[in-house]
Amino acid sequence: MTQQTLDSGMRTQRIEYIERMAFELARMAADQQLPMLAYILDMAVEEAAISKGAPPMAAIPLPPRPGRTPRRLGDGRPAAG
């Protein structure tokens, strides 16, 4: 096994760890009605997924704000915040 292969494996492990932690933190932020923080952490999840070339984990659905229609993304999914 070459050093490059070892470095690549370690990089992937670190990215996966960051993705999992950001995902959990985003859920916690959403549960505490901190939509901007949840959104930023969800973007970190997306970045990690893109960096490792995999589809992102499920986006964190945020509760709608009173008096506002929830925004939707182009594919029909609810947008965060």
Side-chain angles (χ1 to χ4, degrees):
M1 199 176 266
T2 67
Q3 184 64 36
Q4 185 177 7
T5 303
L6 290 173
D7 290 345
S8 176
M10 180 63 80
R11 181 178 190 276
T12 300
Q13 288 178 349
R14 288 179 178 168
I15 291 170
E16 288 172 351
Y17 177 79
I18 291 166
E19 182 181 25
R20 285 191 309 272
M21 293 299 104
F23 180 81
E24 290 299 321
L25 289 169
R27 273 189 31 202
M28 291 169 59
D31 289 346
Q32 297 301 310
Q33 278 85 52
L34 299 167
M36 182 57 73
L37 184 55
Y39 174 77
I40 291 168
L41 289 163
D42 197 39
M43 291 297 99
V45 172
E46 295 279 335
E47 176 68 19
I50 290 167
S51 294
K52 67 179 188 172
M57 300 174 85
I60 308 298
L62 297 176
R65 294 183 190 164
R68 291 183 60 193
T69 304
R71 294 181 303 156
R72 299 232 171 242
L73 300 175
D75 61 4
R77 293 182 296 143

